Structures are given as structure tokens and as C-alpha cells.
């Protein structure tokens, strides 16, 4: 360690450090527990609130869809990052969950989830050793871990980390079906990787990862059909090539909330990874709905309060530290006529509200409002807890507090 | 509490819940502590890293500036949310810190910070009771709490929460000097609030809050001068009006990293609230620099790793769950010639990298890169810890881990 020429001040000694004042964040757990059974009025703002009735209807509709179409559901838990919700989804029929990060897998495993697929590439050896340890831990619990690869180096590193492991890890070869991000070009390159995987005993070639992220947000049904038709062709061609080399392709996994009806109907995708359907968001609501798709409801809301009122605008206490704006600003959930509001970006901690039409009024100081976030995944990642409400946002009661176990699990 | 018709599954019983696997997030603290003294190579990705040398130069330059200009510095701790950094700033001469949220104030107070200004409106009575409790706790530690108001209702509610308090809270009247968010119209409305504050013994009218957030990001010096000239006129007019009514205006507080040289030179602002100067970000770097402004350096970086390489792009493991993109995408910190890269949005967990020029190469798989985030404040809020590095990003060592005490402190 380099000697520090300008040492930064140390933490104050225990004797110097005052006890946290009442209401300090250390006590948040208790304050949250005390919310249970109370009316939604009691929820401090800003807060992330789940309409449990709407969420459960979304869960049921998706379970019915996958049952009817004979496809497996492995919802993406990168969206809710909650072990409790992952277990709920598995009780409703999901075979397991996807995650994007090793640390997400660890957090969900610690919360009792035993079938986890890291649908992403992991390259750093220290991380791959954590992957190997988790594969063993899950195998010991009759569960399993899977991971994606898109390079020979990736296979070699994974094999190095798994060397000598009693557990086997399922390995999916990722192909780029139009997303332009990770994944090899469909065809020969995928075969080469499948063959490489087969040369390492603790690695099992499990099939193809073929997710088209961009297609999820194409607005018209026709655009999405065209995009997924190409993906299906890519998958079919690659699968045949690998099978022609004598290697079975047990499963093709992919799809998101915007397109899963198309992958389900394709006959080549055996597993759907949609995650957002559980909560929905303002961005997905902009998609023209495919008639074949179940009707999902908004179940995720930011409760916020008006803290300032001007002549032609009001200001609420939820800005983009409360909800992610990468996919657009939140919508104000209209709760009564005459109060239609438009949310404008007010920075990290504020939203600026304007009356949507000439006949709409501004809300009064102190009024509570509900926002529909633009994008559910990164919004949830800003919060430690989801507050689950039963019986509606306005007149319901808080039923449970759901911990966001993998909040900030980046590595 | 409503009976639940469809109860969600309970947490697994203790006997069902397996011990967290090795490397689980519960052990993050230890893993981070083990980093201290190691080379930067050992930092797992993605991670938020502080170049301590650059940060301390920024700290020193700002301290010199405020000393020379005879203005107080009360940096905005909403940026770093760290009690350790707040105490460091106060050791370098800051009179205290600003925050935007009651929960931020509580978290910093718990970490030993005793002079805190909530430069924002608080309206909910339960929150105002926490404000009152904190005012008492800080007064007992020879510190003080201040808060902003912009409505008579706000004054009345604050007075209700503070009723009977032995402590006095400093109250600033916020005027809107061009931001278009909170604050009353400059002039008469501010006088009315100052008079209302004076009618409540535990409330002390402390002066004017006059922050022009939008002006911070006007790109040319001329644009910023014009905006702050109007703000200074607004402040001067309002101050005279209040003083003419026999109420002293002890302090005008405001300014950010983009404009503070102008407020400092105005003769009416006595306190600067700039916060971002400590870390800087890609957005502030786009401003044409005022010759009077100290030269600040980038001190905040996201360390990331290349996890996939395609024919014409590479993919790194830092997306917008690692850094906020509300003010634009991050820049790739160029560490050697021939590797200039452009960062494109790859979603929540990925960045897509393209060679910036025809002569630039793509980075190889596994390569570590450093990003300069677009906006420091919400980026820090995505992380639990800042990793402080001494001796440069490439060849330095980890000196300390700085906790983001108020990460997610939204209420």
C-alpha cells in the first residue's frame, strides 16, 4: 500500500460517534414493519409500491399463457431482484429465474432460490470462481446453475474455474439475433463453442441463448414480428448446424415481455425469459398490444407527495433518484377526473407537474400522487424495499414488505 | 388489515434457508476490506472508484477559492452522500453541508456530521417530526439544522412539528431565481414568509435560498453570466424588501459547480452550495470554463471489464445500473493512444463500445476500462461504497473504502 501523503480523516471513534437520531435509517426496518396493516396514506414518500392484486393477476395470466403454449417460463429476476418474488413465480410454475450478474445469483440463492441462470457472459476469473462455488452450493441443494458464453476464452476460463468441481454447470451459447450486444454470429461460431464446451466434464452444453432486447420496444406488432422472424431463422439455422454435428440442442431460451408471444409460437424457443410483465411500466405500455398477448396491468408505482405549488406548476418529491428515466419519464396515474397531470423532469429529487389540459387543475400542497415509472428494472434497483398493497392504491392496506435482495448487486 | 385472499408465500423457515454461499453479498464488507492495500487490478467490476489524489486537489482548489473570495462553502452532500466525505470537507473549511432529504440528513448525522441544511421543502408532518427530532439531536451536539420553505402551509406545519422544542431551526425562504421548480416568486411573497417564520419561537428566519439549477449546465460563460445576473437582481430586490420591513437577511445561500464563481463575485451570496466539483462528471466537463473558476479534475470513475468482443464492437459490464445516464452517457477514459472508444447505451447491465476513430482498435476480451459518468450525484446513489485509490487508476493502490451512508435515502 502506498503511504498516504494526505491521509483522509478516520471514521470518528465509537465514543465520538453520537447515537443515530430517532428515525435514522438504521431503524428503517422497524418503521417499515410497522406499516404492515396500515392504510396506504401511512406510506412515507417517495416509496416504491406494488399493487399486489394487479401483480398476481399478471402472474396468473402469464402462467396460463405458458401452460397453454407448452413453453417453460424462466422470468428475468434482474427486474425485481427479490428472492421472495422469484419463489412466488416458481410456485406459479416458473422453472427458475434468470439473472444478469453473479452477485444477483448469489443474493437470490441466499434467499432460497435454487434454479438460476446467469444469462450473460462472465469473464473475470475471481467472479468465475464465485460462479463455480455457487454451482456447487446449488447442486448440494438439488438445484442448478446455468450460464451463457460467447467466446472460446470464456469457455476456457469457466472450465478453469470449474476444474475439479463435483457439480456440473449448464452452459448456453449466446447468439446475436439482432440485439447487437453480446453473442456470436449465428451459425458456425456457435457450433465451435458447443464443441469446446463438450470437452470439459463439469460443463454441459445446454442449448442456445437467443434474446433480442431491442425488439421488445419496437412499437408496432408488425415491427416486432419482423424482428423475431429473423431471430427464429437464426436460431433454427444454428440449431440444425449444431445438431448436424451430433450435438443435441436441448433448449433455446430467450424472449422478453414485448415479444414472448412470438417466440412461444415459433416452435423453436422452449423457454421464455420475460420479466417486466409482472410489474409493467410506462415504456412497455407504449407498445401496440399483440392480440395473442395477455393483458398485463401496471402493478409498480412510485408514491410521491406535492411539496411546492407555483402559479402554473406543482413540484413533487420524486425525481430520478426515485425512478429510472432511461426509457422515458414516469406517467402520473390519474386517480380522478380534472387532475390529469404531465410529469416533467425536475432533477434528482423533484418532479415538475403541469396540468395536462386546459380543464385540469394543479394538485394542492401535500397531495399524494402515484407515478408509473418509465422502466421497471432500474427503478426497482433504486429501492431497498417494495411495499406491497392489497385492495388498491387509494383505499388499500399494506400487506407485506418485499426486500430487494439484489439491489445494487452489480458484480 | 385486509385478509389476503391469495396469500403470497412466506419467507422460507430458517431451517429451509441454506447458508449464503461463499461470496454472497452478506460478505461484501469483508471482501471490500481485503481490497485495501491491493493494486487497482484487484477491484472487481463494475465498481465506483475515486481517484483520491484528484479529489483532494479539487477540495484544496475550492477551499482556496472560497477563502480568497470571503464566501462560506456548504457543499451539497446529496452528491456523495457520505459522512466521511462531509467531515473531510468541513475539515477543509466548509461550514457544514446541504442535503435534499430528511433521510439524508439523518444518515449524515448518524455519521458524525453536525451542521446540516435541508435545502428543500418538507411538507409531510411525520417527516417534519423527524426534522424536529434531528434539530434537537444536533443542537444537543452543539450543531444545527436548517431547512427551506416556500409556502405559508410549509411554515405552519414546520412550526407545528417544532412546537415546544428546546432547539431552534434555521429557516431559509426559497425564491425561484430561474430554475422553475420550488421557491416563491422573488419579492413580496418572500417577505410574507419571513414574517410568518418570525411568529414562531423555535423557527429563526436565516435568509434566502436562491439556487439556479438550470444555469449550472448552460454551456457558455456568457449564458451563465446572464442567468446569474438575473438571479442576483432577484436576490437583491427581495433582500432589500425584507430588510426594509425591519427583518435582517443574514445570509443568501445557493450556487452550484457551474456558476459559483458568479455568485461568489456578486456580493450578495454569502454561501456557496456547489457539490459536484469534488468528483466532477462528463456533463460538467462540457461547460466552457470560466477563467475565474478553479480547474477541477475528474475524480469519479466506473471501473468496468470487457466481457464480449464482436467484429465491430465490444461490450463492457457497466450499464445504467452502474452509472446514471440522465445527463448523458459516460465517456471512456482514454488510457493509451490507439484505444479511443465511444460508449453507447447497452441497457441496464451493458455498455457497447465502438472504436472512436479509424485508427483506434477495439479492446480485447477481459480488458479493464474506466468510465467517466455523465452525472455524479445519481451515479453515486447506485453504489454502497466508493473505492478510494491513491497513486492513479492504473498503477495505484486501494487506500480506503468510503461508505455511501445515505445511498437510497429518499424520504
Amino acid at each position: 500500500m502506498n503511504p498516504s501523503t494526505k491521509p483522509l480523516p478516520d471514521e470518528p471513534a465509537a465514543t465520538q460517534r453520537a447515537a443515530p437520531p430517532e428515525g435514522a435509517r438504521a431503524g428503517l426496518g422497524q418503521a417499515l414493519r410497522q406499516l404492515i396493516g396500515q392504510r396506504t396514506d401511512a406510506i412515507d414518500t417517495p416509496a416504491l409500491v406494488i399493487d399486489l392484486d394487479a401483480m398476481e393477476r399478471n402472474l396468473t395470466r402469464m402462467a396460463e399463457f405458458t401452460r397453454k403454449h407448452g413453453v417453460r417460463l424462466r422470468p428475468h429476476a434482474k427486474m425485481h431482484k427479490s428472492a421472495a418474488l422469484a419463489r412466488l413465480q416458481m410456485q406459479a410454475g416458473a422453472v427458475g429465474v434468470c439473472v444478469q450478474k453473479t452477485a444477483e445469483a448469489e443474493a437470490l440463492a441466499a434467499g432460497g432460490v435454487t434454479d438460476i441462470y446467469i444469462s450473460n457472459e462472465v469473464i473475470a476469473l475471481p467472479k468465475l470462481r464465485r460462479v463455480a462455488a455457487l454451482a456447487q452450493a446449488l447442486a448440494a441443494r438439488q438445484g442448478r446453475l446455468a450460464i451463457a458464453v460467447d467466446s472460446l476464452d470464456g469457455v476456457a476460463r469457466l472450465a478453469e474455474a470449474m476444474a475439479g468441481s463435483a457439480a456440473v454447470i449448464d452452459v448456453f451459447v449466446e447468439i446475436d439475433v439482432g440485439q447487437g450486444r453480446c453473442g456470436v454470429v449465428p451459425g458456425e461460431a456457435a457450433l465451435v463453442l458447443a464443441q469446446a464446451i463438450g470437452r470439459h466434464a463439469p460443463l454441459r452444453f445446454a442449448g442456445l441463448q437467443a434474446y433480442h432486447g431491442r425488439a421488445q420496444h419496437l412499437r408496432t406488432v408488425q415491427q416486432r414480428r419482423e424482428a423475431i422472424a429473423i431471430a427464429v431463422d437464426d436460431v433454427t439455422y444454428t440449431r440444425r448446424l449444431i445438431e448436424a454435428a451430433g450435438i443435441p440442442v436441448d433448449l433455446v431460451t430467450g424472449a422478453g415481455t414485448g415479444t414472448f408471444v412470438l417466440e412461444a409460437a415459433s416452435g423453436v424457443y422452449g423457454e421464455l425469459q420475460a420479466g417486466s410483465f409482472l410489474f409493467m411500466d410506462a415504456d412497455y405500455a407504449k407498445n401496440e398490444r399483440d392480440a395473442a398477448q395477455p393483458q398485463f396491468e401496471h402493478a409498480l408505482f412510485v408514491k410521491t407527495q406535492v411539496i411546492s405549488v407555483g402559479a402554473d406548476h406543482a413540484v413533487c418529491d420524486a425525481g430520478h433518484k426515485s425512478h429510472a428515466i432511461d426509457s422515458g419519464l414516469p406517467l402520473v396515474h390519474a386517480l380522478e377526473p380534472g387532475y390529469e397531470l404531465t410529469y416533467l423532469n425536475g432533477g434528482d429529487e423533484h418532479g415538475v407537474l403541469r396540468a395536462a389540459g386546459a380543464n385540469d387543475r394543479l394538485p394542492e400542497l401535500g397531495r399524494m400522487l402515484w407515478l408509473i415509472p418509465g422502466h421497471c428494472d432500474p427503478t426497482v434497483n433504486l429501492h431497498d424495499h417494495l411495499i406491497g398493497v392489497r385492495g388498491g392504491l387509494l383505499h388499500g392496506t399494506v400487506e407485506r414488505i418485499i426486500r430487494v435482495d439484489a439491489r445494487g448487486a452489480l458484480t
Side-chain angles (χ1 to χ4, degrees), chain A:
Chain A
M1 181 179 169
N2 277 352
S4 161
T5 48
K6 280 189 205 164
L8 299 187
D10 290 317
E11 298 284 317
T15 49
Q16 283 177 272
R17 190 193 285 271
E22 192 186 344
R25 295 185 67 241
L28 198 64
Q30 199 197 340
L32 275 170
R33 279 194 301 277
Q34 286 174 346
L35 262 186
I36 293 174
Q38 291 199 55
R39 293 280 300 273
T40 57
D41 302 347
I43 300 170
D44 198 6
T45 60
L48 204 53
V49 174
I50 305 296
D51 179 334
L52 294 173
D53 302 299
M55 180 190 82
E56 290 166 15
R57 286 192 290 271
N58 291 342
L59 185 74
T60 302
R61 284 169 194 155
M62 188 57 143
E64 282 166 2
F65 176 90
T66 53
R67 241 191 330 267
K68 188 172 154 193
H69 289 80
V71 287
R72 295 151 53 112
L73 177 65
R74 180 180 290 279
H76 224 306
K78 86 186 194 73
M79 191 280 279
H80 56 64
K81 289 175 169 270
S82 153
L85 294 183
R87 287 185 275 109
L88 178 73
Q89 292 178 308
M90 291 174 73
Q91 286 178 4
V95 296
V97 294
C98 299
V99 297
Q100 292 291 72
K101 297 287 187 167
T102 305
E104 287 177 330
E106 290 167 337
L108 296 188
V113 182
T114 54
D115 195 325
I116 304 174
Y117 169 34
I118 303 170
S119 57
N120 195 9
E121 282 66 27
V122 177
I123 293 300
L125 261 176
K127 254 194 211 97
L128 285 167
R129 284 193 281 270
R130 285 161 50 200
V131 167
L134 188 59
Q136 288 203 291
L138 291 179
R141 288 152 68 184
Q142 283 73 52
R144 65 167 210 140
L145 186 66
I147 194 167
V149 297
D150 75 352
S151 67
L152 283 170
D153 259 9
V155 174
R157 288 171 186 233
L158 177 62
E160 183 181 337
M162 289 291 294
S165 172
V168 168
I169 190 165
D170 280 355
V171 185
F172 289 87
V173 170
E174 180 166 14
I175 59 173
D176 180 3
V177 292
Q179 167 78 349
R181 200 168 62 186
C182 299
V184 294
V185 175
E188 184 66 22
L191 169 60
V192 171
L193 290 178
Q195 289 168 327
I197 292 164
R199 287 192 281 272
H200 302 282
L203 276 50
R204 185 183 83 88
F205 172 64
L208 297 175
Q209 160 76 15
Y211 173 66
H212 194 329
R214 274 203 291 227
Q216 307 309 313
H217 310 282
L218 296 173
R219 294 303 178 211
T220 71
V221 171
Q222 187 55 30
Q223 287 171 312
R224 296 198 297 278
R225 280 197 188 146
E226 285 165 11
I228 299 305
I230 294 170
V232 167
D233 283 350
D234 286 343
V235 165
T236 306
Y237 164 64
T238 307
R239 182 181 187 154
R240 283 191 189 140
L241 198 77
I242 296 172
E243 289 183 335
I247 302 171
V249 179
D250 289 346
L251 186 66
V252 177
T253 180
T257 293
T259 65
F260 70 87
V261 297
L262 303 170
E263 283 93 339
S266 72
V268 293
Y269 280 81
E271 188 176 270
L272 308 179
Q273 299 177 359
S276 300
F277 73 91
L278 193 67
F279 290 169
M280 290 298 285
D281 55 35
D283 181 70
Y284 267 123
K286 289 180 190 155
N287 278 7
E288 179 199 358
R289 191 168 75 90
D290 195 313
Q293 182 176 310
Q295 185 76 262
F296 298 120
E297 302 170 49
H298 290 297
L300 180 80
F301 300 89
V302 173
K303 188 187 174 198
T304 182
Q305 183 179 35
V306 175
I307 60 166
S308 177
V309 180
D312 61 356
H313 73 285
V315 183
C316 70
D317 64 1
H320 52 71
K321 282 181 183 168
S322 304
H323 52 259
I325 60 169
D326 58 278
S327 302
L329 295 173
L331 302 175
V332 186
H333 194 52
L335 296 171
E336 53 183 290
Y339 277 108
E340 290 277 349
L341 294 168
T342 302
Y343 180 104
L344 305 172
N345 189 354
D348 295 2
E349 292 92 2
H350 300 90
V352 174
L353 304 164
R354 292 193 186 274
N359 293 326
D360 288 308
R361 282 160 294 172
L362 285 177
E364 69 278 16
L365 192 74
R367 187 183 174 91
M368 300 296 183
L369 297 169
W370 303 84
L371 307 178
I372 300 170
H375 187 185
C376 50
D377 304 36
T379 294
V380 171
N381 187 49
L382 293 167
H383 294 261
D384 292 306
H385 299 89
L386 311 171
I387 298 172
V389 165
R390 178 79 61 194
L393 299 178
L394 275 192
H395 304 295
T397 55
V398 176
E399 180 173 293
R400 61 184 305 209
I401 308 297
I402 301 163
R403 197 154 63 109
V404 184
D405 302 277
R407 200 269 324 138
L410 289 167
T411 63

